[in-house]
Amino acid sequence: EGEKMDEEESPNTYVIRPDYEAKFKPREVGALVHEVVKSHLNDKKYDTEQALGWAQAISDDVKTKCKGLGLERYKIVVQSVIGEQRGEGAKMAARCMWDADTDNCTQDVFQNESMFCITAAYGVYFY
């Protein structure tokens, strides 16, 4: 009888899916990405020597701030591409195999007179 009480008192704590509040929310993360990119690039002109450093700083900053959103058990992947604005256009594509119920992504496109920046953030739930 004592064993049955212990089983009833300690429920199964294995979580296979996040609660709605704990899911990666593209709109919320997208606003965060937009603010980070804007804060890093708003007053800058394209510079080939510094573009890589800017992209790395943006990616690191987005990843750090996403962790502050309480996205526990999510792996955050951030990709940032910066290029010179020459009127030629650029396309960026990604393919992922994921669980559509838990995983998601968002992106932001920044442009000024001299450059563009495409930043994508992916939230992949870690089972």
Side-chain angles (χ1 to χ4, degrees):
E1 191 173 325
E3 288 181 30
K4 286 184 180 178
M5 286 181 107
D6 288 340
E7 288 176 14
E8 291 175 15
E9 288 177 12
S10 58
N12 184 357
T13 58
Y14 183 73
V15 178
I16 195 158
R17 300 256 188 250
D19 294 334
Y20 176 76
E21 296 81 24
K23 281 189 175 183
F24 183 95
K25 297 177 184 76
R27 183 172 289 177
E28 186 177 343
V29 176
L32 180 148
V33 171
H34 180 76
E35 286 305 314
V36 169
V37 172
K38 189 175 168 184
S39 72
H40 279 270
L41 299 178
N42 205 30
D43 60 342
K44 293 193 170 65
K45 291 189 189 230
Y46 182 77
D47 182 338
T48 305
E49 302 295 320
Q50 295 185 13
L52 176 61
W54 293 340
Q56 289 172 334
I58 288 167
S59 295
D60 289 341
D61 202 6
V62 167
K63 186 175 176 182
T64 300
K65 291 188 178 186
C66 280
K67 289 182 179 184
L69 295 175
L71 299 169
E72 294 181 21
R73 297 187 68 175
Y74 270 91
K75 290 190 176 257
I76 305 297
V77 178
V78 181
Q79 180 182 20
S80 190
V81 177
I82 296 176
E84 187 173 11
Q85 191 78 277
R86 293 183 183 177
E88 296 172 357
K91 304 230 188 266
M92 183 172 135
R95 301 254 187 229
C96 302
M97 178 177 273
W98 64 26
D99 184 341
D101 186 45
T102 58
D103 306 339
N104 218 320
C105 68
T106 188
Q107 71 174 8
D108 184 69
V109 178
F110 170 89
Q111 293 184 31
N112 67 17
E113 293 174 6
S114 67
M115 71 177 137
F116 65 88
C117 175
I118 304 168
T119 302
Y122 303 86
V124 182
Y125 191 73
F126 184 68
Y127 293 96

